[in-house]
Amino acid sequence: TNQIVPCSMVLNGEYGQEGFSMSVPAVLGKGGIKEVKEFDLTNDENERFQKTTKLLKNAATLVENLLK
């Protein structure tokens, strides 16, 4: 239906992030993600998104280190 839905995926440069899984707007099809929708974020939205990804990356690193 080409609906845009939130979908968790490993980012590959989308929204300035790479190699990290985040939920982003995407169009899904039979084979999975057809397209990631990168909306223009306001400066405030972008700052908040980048801050959130930094916090989540730090938490993931902490968990990985604890599991070693």
Side-chain angles (χ1 to χ4, degrees):
T1 63
N2 290 325
Q3 283 185 301
I4 300 171
V5 296
C7 181
S8 184
M9 60 170 284
V10 177
L11 300 177
N12 190 26
E14 296 86 2
Y15 292 99
Q17 297 296 319
E18 193 165 325
F20 187 73
S21 183
M22 288 286 294
S23 185
V24 293
V27 177
L28 302 179
K30 287 182 188 178
I33 298 170
K34 289 173 58 177
E35 177 184 4
V36 175
K37 292 292 190 178
E38 280 194 77
F39 293 107
D40 290 329
L41 302 177
T42 65
N43 287 339
D44 185 55
E45 290 170 331
N46 187 50
E47 285 178 22
R48 290 176 185 215
F49 184 84
Q50 300 304 325
K51 184 176 181 179
T52 299
T53 57
K54 184 177 180 178
L55 289 169
L56 291 174
K57 284 180 180 181
N58 289 340
T61 300
L62 177 64
V63 170
E64 287 176 2
N65 289 335
L66 288 171
L67 294 175
K68 288 181 182 178

